[in-house]
């Protein structure tokens, strides 16, 4: 069995090699050993899952886009009455959908694995920066599950994301400065959640605008160490606000 220090080193090695699924395994073991995670360990956990799940999210988007193109072809076949083409496109759609559900299952399993770590090992009733980080993370991974769900399944998962983001927001308003990267990153992701999953663009704009304006007002007191991170997230918030208030229907920037 590896010690804590060895697991951390192993995770960093996986990160350098860009083998994120293995990085996830190392960090999962570290968390399950118990004890508090330091800032570096917390960030390693986040990077591991973000890249591992991120790869599946990217695959899912590509497959979904291919699916909608095939669906369009099928609709045209219906109009033209071309039976042989219609059969081919139906067959392709079946292959696409089967593959898509495989990627969805992988994505959801990965999200559930980090949610399980958060609920059973990391989230507690303390009011500190780490708890805000973990509750934001909980919101993010329920959001990623909601992205690939539809119908009733989506509603309940979206509600869990909303609850986690609300908890994190209440705590961050109380404990972190307006320019703190965790508070800004939370506002960025929470606003994207409202825009993409909750279909409440007015709420998305409100959260992003408040976070941006509060940070601007407090910019003089920004921590030199986090200046670069803070201003980068502020830029993303502003980009989204521009996008959302221009009526352009593009995908928002995000994911801090």
């Amino acid at each position: 069995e590896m010690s804590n220090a060895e697991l951390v080193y192993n995770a960093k090695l996986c990160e350098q090699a860009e083998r994120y699924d293995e990085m996830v395994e190392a960090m999962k073991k570290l968390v399950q050993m118990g004890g508090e995670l330091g800032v570096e360990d917390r960030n390693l956990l986040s990077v591991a899952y973000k890249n591992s799940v991120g790869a599946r999210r990217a695959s899912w988007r590509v497959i979904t886009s291919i699916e909608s193109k095939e669906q369009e072809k099928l609709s045209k076949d219906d109009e033209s009455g071309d039976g042989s083409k219609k059969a081919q496109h139906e067959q392709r759609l079946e292959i696409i959908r089967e593959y898509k559900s495989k990627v969805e299952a992988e994505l959801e399993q990965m999200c559930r694995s980090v949610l399980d770590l958060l609920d059973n090992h990391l989230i507690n009733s303390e009011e500190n920066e780490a708890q805000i980080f973990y509750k934001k993370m909980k919101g993010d991974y329920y959001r990623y599950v909601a992205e690939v769900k539809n119908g009733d399944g989506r509603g309940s998962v979206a509600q869990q994301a909303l609850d986690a983001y609300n908890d994190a927001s209440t705590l961050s308003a109380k404990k972190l400065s307006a320019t703190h990267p965790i508070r800004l990153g939370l506002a960025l992701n929470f606003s994207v959640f409202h825009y993409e999953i909750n279909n409440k663009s007015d709420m998305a704009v409100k959260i992003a605008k408040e976070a941006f304006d509060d940070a601007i007002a407090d910019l003089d007191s920004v921590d030199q160490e986090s200046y670069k991170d803070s201003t980068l997230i502020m830029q993303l918030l502003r980009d989204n606000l521009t996008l959302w208030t221009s009526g352009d229907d593009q995908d928002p920037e995000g994911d801090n």
Side-chain angles (χ1 to χ4, degrees):
E1 283 296 300
M2 286 192 190
S3 69
N4 280 27
E6 286 168 334
L7 283 167
V8 168
Y9 182 73
N10 184 241
K12 287 178 178 171
L13 194 56
C14 295
E15 181 184 12
Q16 299 262 280
E18 294 184 12
R19 289 171 66 94
Y20 297 107
D21 290 2
E22 286 160 3
M23 187 181 180
V24 159
E25 289 311 310
M27 292 311 296
K28 200 153 84 178
K29 280 181 189 151
L30 182 76
V31 171
Q32 286 164 342
M33 284 167 93
E36 296 248 328
L37 294 187
V39 174
E40 186 189 36
D41 300 345
R42 214 167 65 197
N43 289 332
L44 286 170
L45 177 72
S46 175
V47 165
Y49 274 102
K50 193 174 165 184
N51 283 284
S52 218
V53 171
R56 274 93 183 164
R57 288 174 76 208
S59 302
W60 185 85
R61 286 195 190 115
V62 170
I63 298 163
T64 303
S65 152
I66 295 169
E67 179 187 24
S68 72
K69 286 185 187 126
E70 280 298 323
Q71 190 61 60
E72 273 171 35
K73 288 178 191 169
L74 192 60
S75 307
K76 282 185 184 146
D77 298 336
D78 280 341
E79 286 163 25
S80 70
D82 187 337
S84 65
K85 268 194 171 169
K86 184 180 175 179
Q88 185 194 33
H89 290 141
E90 277 174 344
Q91 197 179 11
R92 282 185 181 173
L93 268 172
E94 200 177 307
I95 294 169
I96 292 165
R97 284 177 183 149
E98 202 173 303
Y99 192 48
K100 184 167 122 174
S101 65
K102 178 187 179 218
V103 174
E104 282 170 359
E106 261 182 39
L107 189 150
E108 184 167 356
Q109 187 197 353
M110 283 257 145
C111 290
R112 298 280 176 196
S113 128
V114 67
L115 288 164
D116 179 61
L117 290 179
L118 290 164
D119 280 338
N120 296 324
H121 298 275
L122 298 167
I123 290 176
N124 58 40
S125 59
E126 283 176 33
E127 298 197 339
N128 57 29
E129 186 184 306
Q131 289 306 308
I132 299 163
F133 184 93
Y134 296 139
K135 285 170 179 171
K136 168 189 175 288
M137 215 169 155
K138 183 173 174 173
D140 290 339
Y141 286 91
Y142 273 121
R143 170 163 62 97
Y144 303 151
V145 176
E147 282 177 347
V148 302
K149 293 254 183 223
N150 32 42
D152 295 346
R154 184 179 175 114
S156 65
V157 180
Q159 185 59 50
Q160 285 173 292
L162 180 65
D163 292 344
Y165 281 137
N166 274 328
D167 283 352
S169 299
T170 305
L171 203 51
S172 90
K174 206 154 100 176
K175 294 283 170 190
L176 301 178
S177 75
T179 54
H180 195 295
I182 294 177
R183 179 165 161 178
L184 286 166
L186 169 62
L188 176 71
N189 290 11
F190 197 8
S191 61
V192 168
F193 166 80
H194 276 300
Y195 192 84
E196 290 195 330
I197 306 291
N198 230 13
N199 299 323
K200 289 189 177 165
S201 53
D202 49 345
M203 195 65 187
V205 168
K206 180 176 179 284
I207 290 173
K209 188 171 175 3
E210 270 176 23
F212 183 81
D213 292 346
D214 290 351
I216 285 283
D218 203 18
L219 207 52
D220 294 342
S221 63
V222 69
D223 191 332
Q224 275 319 107
E225 247 171 62
S226 64
Y227 184 81
K228 213 172 106 195
D229 290 341
S230 298
T231 48
L232 175 71
I233 303 166
M234 287 169 72
Q235 183 67 57
L236 294 173
L237 284 164
R238 199 174 64 183
D239 291 348
N240 283 350
L241 282 167
T242 307
L243 197 65
W244 294 339
T245 49
S246 72
D248 234 5
D249 202 23
Q250 286 176 307
D251 282 341
E253 302 276 344
D255 257 340
N256 172 257

